[in-house]
Amino acid sequence: EASASLINGMNLVLKADFLEVIRESYPILIQSSLIFIVLLVVFILYLFSMTRRITTPLKKLTVAAQQLVDGGISPDLNCRTDDEIGVLANAFKQAAVQLHTRMSTMNDLAFRDSLTGVKSRVAYVSAVATIDQQLAEGKRDFGVVVFDSNNLKYINDRYGHDQGNAYICHICTVICNVYKHSPVYRIGGDEFVVILEGHDLEQRRKLLEQLGKAFAESPFSLEDQQLPTRVAYGMAVYDHSRDQEFNDVFIRADKAMYQHKRKLKQQYGVIAGSR
């Protein structure tokens, strides 16, 4: 209720029902409330979207960094945003790709013999460790062939180390041509090891005969002569009943190689200066 005095001495009184006033304002209140709720929901969704745009790439970066720490050089990282997070993620990915490329190159250099192109001694040590682990789990059958030349010192002393290196490559080529399905390792100057697997393991006796024939039919050409390719070799196969590790098999193969070496010297004599 509201009242006011007029100039003629009369009073003006206005009355309104409170509930009626409130009832008339309901649509405005409801409309305002709905607008507020809609704006609040839009704001929350926008805030959630912005938070996710930031946290998702950061989580990926965290996982990628952990993969690098654990040895995974090529993390799964793909961020297409153009903000600071996207720039950081793309830079991280490029760094990981470059690191992967360089590590692959370094591994290839370390695991590949630079002279012959076969697997290196580093690769051999790694393979032996893998085989020993497989043997501990009872999951491996293999054989070992050990090689050693009789003529390298003679060639080095008389014709120089370039010819000696050529002789080593010549021996390696003969070995690789026979053992096409097994890894060949150069573990020393003129010392090679083949770890027999699969087909070559099954056909080991036949391949050993082919090896002797291949060496006999592959003389090494020098300046003034054809030098016979005299290479001693010995083979042994993993025996479940007595071998505990790779070295047990290697020792038997190495012993067989030295027996063959003595036989070659007895059969063909010794070239002056050779071993």
Side-chain angles (χ1 to χ4, degrees):
E1 178 179 336
S3 63
S5 298
L6 301 177
I7 57 176
N8 58 4
M10 299 180 68
N11 290 326
L12 177 64
V13 178
L14 297 176
K15 292 184 178 182
D17 187 6
F18 177 76
L19 295 178
E20 186 67 24
V21 173
I22 295 300
R23 190 178 297 112
E24 292 294 332
S25 65
Y26 275 172
I28 298 175
L29 290 175
I30 293 174
Q31 185 178 13
S32 299
S33 298
L34 288 175
I35 292 174
F36 175 77
I37 292 172
V38 170
L39 291 176
L40 181 61
V41 170
V42 170
F43 175 75
I44 292 174
L45 291 175
Y46 174 77
L47 183 62
F48 177 77
S49 176
M50 291 299 297
T51 302
R52 189 171 183 180
R53 284 187 65 187
I54 296 174
T55 58
T56 299
L58 287 177
K59 288 180 180 179
K60 288 184 177 180
L61 282 171
T62 302
V63 173
Q66 188 61 49
Q67 288 178 343
L68 287 177
V69 172
D70 295 339
I73 306 299
S74 295
D76 182 13
L77 185 62
N78 188 15
C79 183
R80 298 181 180 180
T81 60
D82 296 328
D83 55 13
E84 290 80 0
I85 297 297
V87 172
L88 176 61
N90 290 330
F92 189 91
K93 184 175 182 179
Q94 291 177 8
V97 170
Q98 292 179 4
L99 181 60
H100 174 72
T101 301
R102 292 181 181 180
M103 288 295 294
S104 297
T105 301
M106 292 175 63
N107 285 337
D108 187 62
L109 291 174
F111 281 73
R112 186 71 54 185
D113 179 59
S114 59
L115 177 63
T116 63
V118 298
K119 295 180 182 295
S120 67
R121 183 172 183 83
V122 174
Y124 171 74
V125 172
S126 177
V128 170
T130 299
I131 290 174
D132 282 341
Q133 178 63 37
Q134 292 172 337
L135 290 179
E137 299 171 355
K139 299 179 181 178
R140 189 64 186 261
D141 286 313
F142 67 96
V144 179
V145 187
V146 180
F147 301 84
D148 187 85
S149 166
N150 279 12
N151 301 330
L152 181 60
K153 188 176 186 305
Y154 166 76
I155 296 173
N156 283 335
D157 291 345
R158 181 165 180 176
Y159 297 97
H161 286 276
D162 287 344
Q163 288 290 353
N165 288 339
Y167 183 58
I168 291 172
C169 292
H170 172 73
I171 293 172
C172 182
T173 298
V174 175
I175 295 172
C176 291
N177 286 340
V178 174
Y179 295 101
K180 298 179 180 179
H181 305 285
S182 297
V184 179
Y185 302 86
R186 183 186 176 209
I187 64 171
D190 58 346
E191 299 173 354
F192 293 87
V193 170
V194 175
I195 299 179
L196 300 178
E197 301 174 332
H199 172 274
D200 288 356
L201 179 61
E202 297 173 358
Q203 302 295 322
R204 58 187 178 274
R205 297 297 179 187
K206 181 179 180 180
L207 292 176
L208 208 63
E209 295 176 0
Q210 293 179 9
L211 181 69
K213 184 178 180 181
F215 280 134
E217 296 177 351
S218 303
F220 179 62
S221 299
L222 288 166
E223 299 172 359
D224 55 357
Q225 62 175 312
Q226 292 283 317
L227 184 68
T229 304
R230 302 268 196 258
V231 179
Y233 49 87
M235 181 179 69
V237 177
Y238 172 67
D239 186 343
H240 298 264
S241 64
R242 58 173 173 170
D243 296 325
Q244 301 297 319
E245 57 184 12
F246 179 91
N247 195 52
D248 295 332
V249 186
F250 177 87
I251 289 174
R252 295 204 310 276
D254 195 54
K255 182 178 179 180
M257 183 273 293
Y258 275 104
Q259 291 175 347
H260 186 215
K261 195 177 188 74
R262 287 192 295 270
K263 181 179 179 180
L264 288 176
K265 290 181 178 180
Q266 293 171 358
Q267 184 175 358
Y268 299 105
V270 180
I271 298 177
S274 68
R275 64 179 181 88

